[in-house]
Amino acid sequence: MTTIYLLTQLTEKLHMTTTEASITDLQFIRPNEDVMVGAIFYGRITDVDHQLQASFVDIGLDTPAYLDHRDYNKADVKSGLTEGQYIIVQVTKAPYLTKGARLTRKINLTEGALVYLPYDAHVNISRKLSDERRNALYALLDGQLPKGGVVVRTKADTMSDQTLLCLLETLYTKFQGYLTRANERKKPGQLSSESEIHMRYLENKNLATVDSIIVDDVKLKRQIEATYKDKVKVQVKQSVMQTLAPQITDYIERLSTPMIDAGQGVELVVEQTEAMTVIDVNSHRFSSNQSRARSVVAINKQAATQVADVIQKRNLSGMIVIDFIRMTAKKDQQAVMDTLKKATEQDKQTVKLYEFTRMGLFELTRKRESTSVMYTLFDQSVSSLSYKLETLCYELERRLVSLKSDAAVVSVTPAFYQAFQQYVDQNVLLERTSAAVYFIQDASTSSFSLLRSGSQALIDTFLLENPSESIDKL
């Protein structure tokens, strides 16, 4: 059973997919870090670098975004863009570490079988459709829009004319909404709404294999039902975090270790740097009655399947080097490469596989659209992975929401408590937490510790017996 969770009510938003109650995909969307590929921004050009053939655009983030001149639309190429000019842009690559977002002026808005191009003027129809159907669709759609073009995908073949026209009207209206918001804005910032981020997660999923979608917001439920009609089952469970919080914590803890059990005595060691990711295959616990050559191939094929899974779960991208157990025969290398190719076919991102090098290393690249999970969750400035202060704050937020008792006492360091108030929306937490929560500041505590939870009478007694000069109530 496959379930998708869109959890939007806490400070940190979560997109999660589970199969048979096991997490298979988890996205973390943090305040000021929700710059997703496809998002629409209103920006101001701060610099036009003719030598680089690029412009730098302030879109309201800490780092200026990058707009290559090859990503100008036809009108921009004809008239040119100038420093200080305000423009509407779309993110094609999210910010990564010190690099700003990558932008395009060739904006495209997708809805099912249609892609609306507001700065184009052509109707392009999939060549996989029959000539008769292509001609009918061209006659239907040509001239329907006062401005812009449209791309028709293959799936339009099974859709009615009325449905396609409704989709086109929806996309046109959406872009007109962006224009209206841009005219109302006095400074750069995001035009697309938060709900579009959640809907985009669904667009990248094969909903035919999904049994249910669980959300914690009624408005989002209505939006999903309006978009997908009867194709998906949507439920609202506003207290679902009480059940999921321990599972999420366990998932994050498993990500914190570079060593991964690939099964059957095979182990992977993942080392991620800014330049590349190296995955080492170890087999010291593998046992087999086969010859050494066959054992090595079996180990590497087992590892290849797990490597594809690890790459997706940790959102590893860029250059990835895999150090398989050394194989000398070309046919053995090809067998492992075929296994890896099949395992990466389900990946939504573009994965390119290369050959084994003379040193026996296998190279591949994966398109980078957003920051890896590892860089989101963990502090990379230390040699061993440790939780970011933000990660600990959001972990405490989830724990407090999942409390089933009347009251609780949490011990926190002064520095952590200050960060907790900064990162976590206190009003949202107060609304979503049923327990009365008391914070005791203690410099000897490691970040935070849940000291007591229970009835209000029990907590009142505990506070009387353990007086402190610094007690704050949520």
Side-chain angles (χ1 to χ4, degrees):
M1 180 175 179
T2 299
T3 305
I4 291 178
Y5 296 87
L6 301 180
L7 309 176
T8 66
Q9 294 302 295
L10 299 183
T11 313
E12 180 185 56
K13 322 299 181 188
L14 299 177
H15 296 160
M16 185 170 74
T17 302
T18 65
T19 301
E20 304 303 333
S22 178
I23 298 176
T24 56
D25 182 41
L26 182 56
Q27 285 186 1
F28 304 85
I29 304 171
R30 297 182 170 178
N32 301 320
E33 293 184 11
D34 57 350
V35 183
M36 307 294 284
V37 171
I40 306 295
F41 279 82
Y42 183 55
R44 183 178 66 86
I45 298 176
T46 57
D47 183 34
V48 178
D49 193 319
H50 296 288
Q51 188 172 1
L52 284 177
Q53 288 293 293
S55 298
F56 293 91
V57 185
D58 175 13
I59 58 173
L61 303 179
D62 294 336
T63 307
Y66 180 86
L67 175 62
D68 193 293
H69 288 181
R70 289 173 295 183
D71 293 318
Y72 280 12
N73 60 43
K74 292 180 180 179
D76 299 333
V77 173
K78 185 176 181 179
S79 62
L81 298 179
T82 58
E83 188 174 322
Q85 184 176 348
Y86 282 85
I87 55 176
I88 295 177
V89 290
Q90 186 171 34
V91 175
T92 58
K93 187 177 290 186
Y96 181 71
L97 302 180
T98 59
K99 298 178 181 178
R102 180 92 179 236
L103 306 175
T104 184
R105 282 277 290 159
K106 299 174 183 177
I107 294 172
N108 67 83
L109 306 180
T110 304
E111 188 77 42
L114 300 183
V115 181
Y116 173 54
L117 310 171
Y119 294 122
D120 205 332
H122 299 288
V123 175
N124 296 309
I125 301 174
S126 172
R127 295 188 179 277
K128 293 182 180 180
L129 300 179
S130 66
D131 290 342
E132 182 181 355
R133 182 59 172 156
R134 281 167 51 83
N135 291 335
L137 288 172
Y138 188 84
L140 174 71
L141 299 173
D142 188 34
Q144 286 291 331
L145 293 170
K147 184 178 181 182
V150 63
V151 174
V152 183
R153 293 174 167 174
T154 307
K155 63 177 71 174
D157 196 29
T158 59
M159 303 176 73
S160 68
D161 291 353
Q162 186 60 40
T163 300
L164 291 173
L165 290 176
C166 288
L167 287 178
L168 190 58
E169 178 65 24
T170 299
L171 292 171
Y172 177 76
T173 303
K174 180 185 288 188
F175 187 72
Q176 294 306 305
Y178 295 150
L179 293 177
T180 301
R181 279 174 237 161
N183 290 331
E184 294 171 350
R185 290 194 68 93
K186 296 181 180 180
K187 60 181 181 179
Q190 187 164 334
L191 298 176
S192 47
S193 64
E194 182 183 287
S195 65
E196 292 179 46
I197 297 173
H198 311 313
M199 295 298 290
R200 199 169 292 120
Y201 183 77
L202 298 181
E203 290 174 9
N204 292 327
K205 295 291 182 179
N206 181 8
L207 296 184
T209 64
V210 175
D211 296 283
S212 65
I213 298 173
I214 296 177
V215 301
D216 55 3
D217 178 66
V218 176
K219 289 183 179 179
L220 183 57
K221 175 182 184 290
R222 291 171 181 163
Q223 186 175 358
I224 296 171
E225 290 177 333
T227 302
Y228 294 100
K229 309 300 180 184
D230 299 327
K231 295 180 180 179
V232 292
K233 178 183 177 182
V234 188
Q235 303 175 62
V236 176
K237 295 185 179 180
Q238 296 183 337
S239 59
V240 68
M241 186 58 77
Q242 293 182 358
T243 304
L244 296 178
Q247 191 177 1
I248 293 170
T249 299
D250 180 64
Y251 183 84
I252 294 175
E253 288 177 352
R254 291 201 305 274
L255 290 178
S256 68
T257 173
M259 292 176 289
I260 301 161
D261 183 2
Q264 300 182 21
V266 180
E267 184 180 77
L268 305 179
V269 181
V270 181
E271 295 184 24
Q272 187 177 2
T273 68
E274 187 171 349
M276 70 172 68
T277 299
V278 178
I279 302 177
D280 187 35
V281 179
N282 292 330
S283 61
H284 60 279
R285 291 185 290 111
F286 182 85
S287 60
S288 173
N289 296 324
Q290 301 180 87
S291 65
R292 184 187 182 283
R294 289 190 175 183
S295 294
V296 167
V297 175
I299 291 168
N300 287 337
K301 290 175 73 173
Q302 172 73 15
T305 301
Q306 292 302 313
V307 162
D309 184 61
V310 168
I311 288 174
Q312 291 186 62
K313 284 185 176 178
R314 301 192 177 207
N315 194 24
L316 302 176
S317 55
M319 182 185 296
I320 301 173
V321 177
I322 309 169
D323 187 6
F324 287 109
I325 307 298
R326 189 68 181 270
M327 298 173 293
T328 55
K330 289 289 184 182
K331 64 180 180 63
D332 292 342
Q333 292 181 348
Q334 186 62 49
V336 172
M337 183 174 174
D338 290 343
T339 301
L340 184 59
K341 181 180 179 180
K342 184 177 180 180
T344 56
E345 285 177 351
Q346 302 302 317
D347 199 326
K348 294 296 183 181
Q349 300 299 336
T350 302
V351 178
K352 292 185 178 180
L353 304 182
Y354 298 90
E355 302 290 334
F356 280 89
T357 68
R358 291 183 179 180
M359 297 294 292
L361 302 175
F362 188 84
E363 298 175 336
L364 65 89
T365 59
R366 183 172 184 262
K367 185 178 180 181
R368 176 183 291 132
E369 287 191 347
S370 58
T371 305
S372 78
V373 173
M374 306 304 287
Y375 277 102
T376 298
L377 296 177
F378 305 108
D379 187 348
Q380 303 292 327
S381 64
V382 293
S383 56
S384 59
L385 290 177
S386 61
Y387 289 116
K388 280 184 176 181
L389 203 53
E390 286 175 86
T391 302
L392 292 171
C393 290
Y394 296 134
E395 167 62 22
L396 178 56
E397 181 183 29
R398 283 192 292 270
R399 288 198 188 184
L400 295 180
V401 168
S402 65
L403 286 173
K404 298 180 181 179
S405 53
D406 295 334
V409 179
V410 183
S411 176
V412 293
T413 64
F416 176 84
Y417 187 56
Q418 183 178 358
F420 183 76
Q421 292 179 308
Q422 175 188 345
Y423 290 125
V424 174
D425 189 320
Q426 303 294 298
N427 292 327
V428 170
L429 179 57
L430 189 61
E431 180 183 341
R432 307 295 296 181
T433 305
S434 59
V437 182
Y438 300 88
F439 295 94
I440 296 179
Q441 296 189 42
D442 182 358
S444 63
T445 299
S446 177
S447 298
F448 74 86
S449 175
L450 187 60
L451 296 181
R452 287 285 190 282
S453 65
S455 66
Q456 185 66 58
L458 177 67
I459 297 304
D460 288 342
T461 302
F462 176 82
L463 293 176
L464 287 173
E465 294 175 350
N466 299 271
S468 173
E469 294 181 358
S470 180
I471 298 180
D472 295 302
K473 185 179 180 182
L474 177 67

